[in-house]
Amino acid sequence: NEYNNVTSLYLMVEKATKVDYGFDVTITFKDGDATSTKVVNSLLFPVTELPEPAAKEGYVFLGWYKGSEEAPVKVTVVNAPEDITLFARWATEAEAPLVVNPDAEEGSGQYKTISEALAAATEGATIELLIGDYAEETIIPADPAVEGSTETKVAEIVIDKKVTIIGPNANIQGQDPDRQEGANITVRLVIKPTAAGLVINGVDFAEDGKIEV
């Protein structure tokens, strides 16, 4: 009995002090014929910093994607600790989408608001919304000059040209584990000119994260 008690105590201590060292996960980056890998311990996930490939003259780097060329899914964060292969996508400067980022720094080439990007967009352009809080642009707060006012209003963004808007949105959360929380976008898109004065309430992206207006 004394031997069994000592053995049981030893096993309990060993189990209590067992350390999880994780395991190696390989992220493979493909850019044309060039391939590089990054080995990350599973305990360090999610991986939020992905490398920037070497610049290509006349082209804009669109980001890292998974899936296929026919149905690419953009990856900005790798959440799952499992081996994955990502491929780079590029566009000519004329084809590159206008990127909207509420936290954009000056000189980054990105727009801070949807309205700025729409003003700069040409017919048929693509606008990509990055994850962020767009409330400053899309929510009009209560008027402090009006005593007792608590009313907030949804801003109107007028779209008077054919554009495609791509971005993260709550409607596609859960579709892809590599997506972070969606963009906080509450806005009325007013399509002009339209015979019926169509108003779309909310940016209701489809499962592929795209709405064409």
PDB file of all heavy atoms in Angstrom, residues 178-191:
ATOM      1  N   ASP A 178     -10.349  32.453 -40.831  1.00  0.00           N
ATOM      2  CA  ASP A 178      -9.223  33.371 -40.891  1.00  0.00           C
ATOM      3  C   ASP A 178      -9.667  34.830 -40.929  1.00  0.00           C
ATOM      4  O   ASP A 178      -8.843  35.728 -41.012  1.00  0.00           O
ATOM      5  CB  ASP A 178      -8.336  33.067 -42.104  1.00  0.00           C
ATOM      6  CG  ASP A 178      -7.549  31.798 -41.895  1.00  0.00           C
ATOM      7  OD1 ASP A 178      -6.981  31.647 -40.804  1.00  0.00           O
ATOM      8  OD2 ASP A 178      -7.524  30.946 -42.790  1.00  0.00           O
ATOM      9  N   ARG A 179     -10.964  35.078 -40.877  1.00  0.00           N
ATOM     10  CA  ARG A 179     -11.438  36.457 -40.830  1.00  0.00           C
ATOM     11  C   ARG A 179     -11.492  36.931 -39.389  1.00  0.00           C
ATOM     12  O   ARG A 179     -11.910  36.204 -38.505  1.00  0.00           O
ATOM     13  CB  ARG A 179     -12.836  36.585 -41.436  1.00  0.00           C
ATOM     14  CG  ARG A 179     -12.825  36.535 -42.949  1.00  0.00           C
ATOM     15  CD  ARG A 179     -14.193  36.930 -43.480  1.00  0.00           C
ATOM     16  NE  ARG A 179     -14.203  36.881 -44.927  1.00  0.00           N
ATOM     17  CZ  ARG A 179     -13.843  37.888 -45.691  1.00  0.00           C
ATOM     18  NH1 ARG A 179     -13.443  39.016 -45.142  1.00  0.00           N
ATOM     19  NH2 ARG A 179     -13.875  37.785 -46.994  1.00  0.00           N
ATOM     20  N   GLN A 180     -11.078  38.161 -39.163  1.00  0.00           N
ATOM     21  CA  GLN A 180     -11.217  38.746 -37.831  1.00  0.00           C
ATOM     22  C   GLN A 180     -12.640  39.291 -37.691  1.00  0.00           C
ATOM     23  O   GLN A 180     -13.499  39.049 -38.532  1.00  0.00           O
ATOM     24  CB  GLN A 180     -10.228  39.898 -37.651  1.00  0.00           C
ATOM     25  CG  GLN A 180      -8.783  39.449 -37.562  1.00  0.00           C
ATOM     26  CD  GLN A 180      -7.881  40.643 -37.325  1.00  0.00           C
ATOM     27  OE1 GLN A 180      -7.977  41.643 -38.008  1.00  0.00           O
ATOM     28  NE2 GLN A 180      -6.995  40.536 -36.361  1.00  0.00           N
ATOM     29  N   GLU A 181     -12.872  40.016 -36.599  1.00  0.00           N
ATOM     30  CA  GLU A 181     -14.167  40.674 -36.460  1.00  0.00           C
ATOM     31  C   GLU A 181     -14.379  41.598 -37.654  1.00  0.00           C
ATOM     32  O   GLU A 181     -13.448  42.175 -38.188  1.00  0.00           O
ATOM     33  CB  GLU A 181     -14.187  41.502 -35.165  1.00  0.00           C
ATOM     34  CG  GLU A 181     -14.249  40.664 -33.901  1.00  0.00           C
ATOM     35  CD  GLU A 181     -15.496  39.811 -33.837  1.00  0.00           C
ATOM     36  OE1 GLU A 181     -16.582  40.334 -34.138  1.00  0.00           O
ATOM     37  OE2 GLU A 181     -15.377  38.612 -33.527  1.00  0.00           O
ATOM     38  N   GLY A 182     -15.598  41.722 -38.063  1.00  0.00           N
ATOM     39  CA  GLY A 182     -15.885  42.512 -39.249  1.00  0.00           C
ATOM     40  C   GLY A 182     -15.795  43.997 -39.016  1.00  0.00           C
ATOM     41  O   GLY A 182     -15.594  44.472 -37.909  1.00  0.00           O
ATOM     42  N   ALA A 183     -15.936  44.730 -40.097  1.00  0.00           N
ATOM     43  CA  ALA A 183     -15.940  46.182 -39.983  1.00  0.00           C
ATOM     44  C   ALA A 183     -17.273  46.628 -39.388  1.00  0.00           C
ATOM     45  O   ALA A 183     -18.313  46.059 -39.681  1.00  0.00           O
ATOM     46  CB  ALA A 183     -15.744  46.800 -41.365  1.00  0.00           C
ATOM     47  N   ASN A 184     -17.226  47.628 -38.548  1.00  0.00           N
ATOM     48  CA  ASN A 184     -18.438  48.182 -37.954  1.00  0.00           C
ATOM     49  C   ASN A 184     -18.972  49.245 -38.903  1.00  0.00           C
ATOM     50  O   ASN A 184     -18.571  50.399 -38.854  1.00  0.00           O
ATOM     51  CB  ASN A 184     -18.114  48.779 -36.586  1.00  0.00           C
ATOM     52  CG  ASN A 184     -19.317  49.451 -35.962  1.00  0.00           C
ATOM     53  OD1 ASN A 184     -20.433  49.255 -36.428  1.00  0.00           O
ATOM     54  ND2 ASN A 184     -19.094  50.241 -34.937  1.00  0.00           N
ATOM     55  N   ILE A 185     -19.857  48.826 -39.801  1.00  0.00           N
ATOM     56  CA  ILE A 185     -20.350  49.731 -40.836  1.00  0.00           C
ATOM     57  C   ILE A 185     -21.868  49.847 -40.719  1.00  0.00           C
ATOM     58  O   ILE A 185     -22.581  48.873 -40.871  1.00  0.00           O
ATOM     59  CB  ILE A 185     -19.992  49.233 -42.252  1.00  0.00           C
ATOM     60  CG1 ILE A 185     -18.484  49.011 -42.376  1.00  0.00           C
ATOM     61  CG2 ILE A 185     -20.470  50.216 -43.304  1.00  0.00           C
ATOM     62  CD1 ILE A 185     -18.102  48.285 -43.633  1.00  0.00           C
ATOM     63  N   THR A 186     -22.347  51.008 -40.397  1.00  0.00           N
ATOM     64  CA  THR A 186     -23.784  51.270 -40.392  1.00  0.00           C
ATOM     65  C   THR A 186     -23.994  52.481 -41.285  1.00  0.00           C
ATOM     66  O   THR A 186     -23.602  53.586 -40.928  1.00  0.00           O
ATOM     67  CB  THR A 186     -24.291  51.571 -38.975  1.00  0.00           C
ATOM     68  OG1 THR A 186     -23.936  50.487 -38.124  1.00  0.00           O
ATOM     69  CG2 THR A 186     -25.793  51.733 -38.974  1.00  0.00           C
ATOM     70  N   VAL A 187     -24.563  52.265 -42.434  1.00  0.00           N
ATOM     71  CA  VAL A 187     -24.638  53.354 -43.407  1.00  0.00           C
ATOM     72  C   VAL A 187     -25.761  53.075 -44.394  1.00  0.00           C
ATOM     73  O   VAL A 187     -26.104  51.931 -44.649  1.00  0.00           O
ATOM     74  CB  VAL A 187     -23.296  53.496 -44.162  1.00  0.00           C
ATOM     75  CG1 VAL A 187     -22.978  52.243 -44.936  1.00  0.00           C
ATOM     76  CG2 VAL A 187     -23.303  54.706 -45.089  1.00  0.00           C
ATOM     77  N   ARG A 188     -26.368  54.129 -44.891  1.00  0.00           N
ATOM     78  CA  ARG A 188     -27.325  53.976 -45.971  1.00  0.00           C
ATOM     79  C   ARG A 188     -26.612  54.297 -47.273  1.00  0.00           C
ATOM     80  O   ARG A 188     -26.083  55.393 -47.444  1.00  0.00           O
ATOM     81  CB  ARG A 188     -28.517  54.905 -45.779  1.00  0.00           C
ATOM     82  CG  ARG A 188     -29.424  54.471 -44.653  1.00  0.00           C
ATOM     83  CD  ARG A 188     -30.773  55.142 -44.745  1.00  0.00           C
ATOM     84  NE  ARG A 188     -30.678  56.590 -44.796  1.00  0.00           N
ATOM     85  CZ  ARG A 188     -31.700  57.390 -45.067  1.00  0.00           C
ATOM     86  NH1 ARG A 188     -32.868  56.881 -45.338  1.00  0.00           N
ATOM     87  NH2 ARG A 188     -31.550  58.702 -45.063  1.00  0.00           N
ATOM     88  N   LEU A 189     -26.599  53.350 -48.174  1.00  0.00           N
ATOM     89  CA  LEU A 189     -26.027  53.599 -49.489  1.00  0.00           C
ATOM     90  C   LEU A 189     -27.167  54.048 -50.398  1.00  0.00           C
ATOM     91  O   LEU A 189     -28.110  53.301 -50.640  1.00  0.00           O
ATOM     92  CB  LEU A 189     -25.385  52.327 -50.048  1.00  0.00           C
ATOM     93  CG  LEU A 189     -24.234  51.741 -49.236  1.00  0.00           C
ATOM     94  CD1 LEU A 189     -23.679  50.519 -49.931  1.00  0.00           C
ATOM     95  CD2 LEU A 189     -23.137  52.775 -49.039  1.00  0.00           C
ATOM     96  N   VAL A 190     -27.094  55.256 -50.864  1.00  0.00           N
ATOM     97  CA  VAL A 190     -28.130  55.788 -51.733  1.00  0.00           C
ATOM     98  C   VAL A 190     -27.624  55.722 -53.166  1.00  0.00           C
ATOM     99  O   VAL A 190     -26.658  56.388 -53.523  1.00  0.00           O
ATOM    100  CB  VAL A 190     -28.475  57.243 -51.348  1.00  0.00           C
ATOM    101  CG1 VAL A 190     -29.616  57.757 -52.221  1.00  0.00           C
ATOM    102  CG2 VAL A 190     -28.864  57.306 -49.878  1.00  0.00           C
ATOM    103  N   ILE A 191     -28.265  54.876 -53.971  1.00  0.00           N
ATOM    104  CA  ILE A 191     -27.822  54.686 -55.347  1.00  0.00           C
ATOM    105  C   ILE A 191     -28.497  55.742 -56.226  1.00  0.00           C
ATOM    106  O   ILE A 191     -29.712  55.813 -56.303  1.00  0.00           O
ATOM    107  CB  ILE A 191     -28.207  53.281 -55.850  1.00  0.00           C
ATOM    108  CG1 ILE A 191     -27.898  52.214 -54.805  1.00  0.00           C
ATOM    109  CG2 ILE A 191     -27.518  52.973 -57.161  1.00  0.00           C
ATOM    110  CD1 ILE A 191     -26.472  52.169 -54.368  1.00  0.00           C
TER     111      ILE A 191
END
